[in-house]
Amino acid sequence: MSLSALSGPRIKSIAEAGLPYETITIRRETPLIGAEIGGVDLARPSNRQMDEIHRALAEHLVIFFRDQHLTQEQHLEFGRSFGELHLHPAAPHEPGHPALMVIKADENSVRANGEGWHSDVSCDEEPPMGSILYIKECPPEGGDTLFASMYAAYDALSDRMKAYLEGLTALHSGEHVYRGMFAKEGVADKPSYPKAVHPVVRTHPVTGKKALYVNRGFTTRILGIPVDESEGILRYLYEHMENPLFQCRFRWRPNSVAFWDNRCVQHRAMWDYWPQRRYGNRVTVKGERPV
C-alpha cells in the first residue's frame, strides 16, 4: 500500500527543534516517532532528568534507553513517577509484585506477548497511559518491536474520512483476547474480562492532538452503524494505520528499556527468534477514560 500521490506525500513532517534538552541526549528514530535517550541512569534519575523524560515522551511518543540496570523496585518506582500503576487483567506477574508483568518467550512457548498490532489493554474503561518494558535477556538476532504513531495515521486521513469518523465510538473487548491465553503459564481464566466503549478518534489529554484509537487486538466493532459497514471501515483503518510510513522499529539489546505512550501509539512484537529466549518485565501506568 502506498500513501504517495502526484501532489507529493500525504505525510509532510517538519521536525521542530524545540527547546534544547539540558540533562539528557535525544537521537530521533524517525521524523514522526521514536527517540533514543542517553545520559541518564533510570535507577537514579534527577528531578530535572525526570522532567525532561516526561517532555521527551510527549514529543516522541516512544522513547528508548540502553544499558540500564534496574532492580524490580527501581523499575516499579520509575513507573510510579508517571502515575499510579495499572494491574493487568490476565497476564502473569513476578511473585509478590502484581504490577510487574512477566514478558517471556522461549522454545516451549505457544505464543509471545504482543504479536499483533494493538494498544495495551484498550478494553479497560480507563486504558493505560503508558507501558515501560525492560528486557533483560534477548536473542542475538530478531525480537524487534515495531511502534506506530496514531497521530500520523489520523493526520494522513482525508478530511472526508475525518469528518465521517468524528463522534463514532467502538467496542473494545478483552474476552476474545485473554480467555485461555495464559493457561500454559498456569494462570486460570477469570469469570469475565473487561470491555469498554471508546471514541474511534481520541484527543490526547497532554498534547491536545487527535489520534486513531481502534486496534486489531481489542476492537470488535464500531457502534451505531451496520455490521458490514463497521467491518469495512475497521479493515481500512487497520491497513492504513499499519503503513510503515508511520512506524519506527526498535532492535533490542539486553538491559534496554522502551517506554511508549499508549494513548497515541500502537505496537507489535516480532516472534522471529524461536527457539531463543526473551525475558523481561513490563510496568504499566494507569490512564484516563479516552475522550
Side-chain angles (χ1 to χ4, degrees):
M1 181 179 66
S2 172
L3 294 186
S4 63
L6 294 179
S7 60
R10 202 183 300 184
I11 286 289
K12 298 178 181 177
S13 174
I14 300 176
E16 298 180 5
L19 295 173
Y21 286 85
E22 298 175 354
T23 63
I24 59 175
T25 62
I26 299 284
R27 184 182 65 79
R28 286 181 180 269
E29 296 290 334
T30 79
L32 294 175
I33 181 173
E36 187 167 313
I37 310 298
V40 60
D41 178 359
L42 296 183
R44 300 169 187 83
S46 68
N47 290 338
R48 180 59 179 149
Q49 285 177 322
M50 286 303 303
D51 289 342
E52 295 202 316
I53 290 171
H54 276 260
R55 176 186 154 201
L57 182 66
E59 291 183 351
H60 301 286
L61 289 65
V62 55
I63 50 180
F64 309 109
F65 305 84
R66 299 289 192 184
D67 303 317
Q68 301 295 319
H69 299 276
L70 302 174
T71 66
Q72 292 182 345
E73 287 297 342
Q74 287 167 337
H75 189 181
L76 290 164
E77 188 59 32
F78 180 66
R80 289 190 193 102
S81 67
F82 290 84
E84 188 178 349
L85 299 185
H86 175 274
L87 301 183
H88 197 280
H93 57 78
E94 295 290 355
H97 293 291
L100 203 61
M101 181 177 168
V102 173
I103 302 292
K104 182 184 74 171
D106 56 27
E107 62 181 347
N108 299 313
S109 299
V110 295
R111 56 170 297 278
N113 296 88
E115 289 181 77
W117 283 104
H118 66 288
S119 175
D120 287 330
V121 202
S122 68
C123 57
D124 270 3
E125 290 283 348
E126 297 181 341
M129 162 267 175
S131 299
I132 306 164
L133 178 56
Y134 176 33
I135 292 295
K136 306 170 190 178
E137 182 180 346
C138 60
E141 301 92 22
D144 297 356
T145 303
L146 283 65
F147 298 89
S149 167
M150 294 299 100
Y151 291 153
Y154 175 78
D155 290 344
L157 294 172
S158 69
D159 289 342
R160 285 185 178 272
M161 179 57 75
K162 290 176 183 175
Y164 172 81
L165 297 177
E166 189 68 30
L168 289 178
T169 59
L171 177 64
H172 297 239
S173 174
E175 183 66 30
H176 66 285
V177 178
Y178 295 135
R179 189 155 301 282
M181 175 179 280
F182 298 103
K184 191 172 175 62
E185 286 89 346
V187 179
D189 277 328
K190 294 181 178 178
S192 64
Y193 290 103
K195 62 180 179 179
V197 174
H198 299 310
V200 172
V201 177
R202 71 176 294 179
T203 300
H204 196 285
V206 176
T207 67
K209 295 180 180 179
K210 291 186 176 182
L212 284 176
Y213 199 66
V214 292
N215 66 88
R216 288 189 189 271
F218 293 99
T219 307
T220 58
R221 66 160 297 181
I222 297 174
L223 303 178
I225 62 175
V227 172
D228 58 339
E229 184 175 335
S230 167
E231 291 174 350
I233 293 296
L234 286 175
R235 183 168 58 249
Y236 165 71
L237 291 176
Y238 296 154
E239 292 175 357
H240 169 76
M241 64 181 54
E242 293 165 11
N243 191 294
L245 279 173
F246 311 140
Q247 299 174 17
C248 70
R249 182 170 183 138
F250 186 59
R251 176 154 292 178
W252 293 92
R253 298 199 302 258
N255 301 312
S256 297
V257 173
F259 184 1
W260 59 92
D261 189 326
N262 201 52
R263 300 166 293 191
C264 56
V265 171
Q266 288 190 31
H267 62 285
R268 177 181 180 178
M270 305 304 293
W271 193 22
D272 53 1
Y273 50 88
W274 188 93
Q276 301 293 325
R277 173 180 161 90
R278 182 174 183 261
Y279 185 88
N281 294 126
R282 193 181 91 192
V283 168
T284 310
V285 183
K286 279 188 176 181
E288 60 287 305
R289 189 175 182 87
V291 294

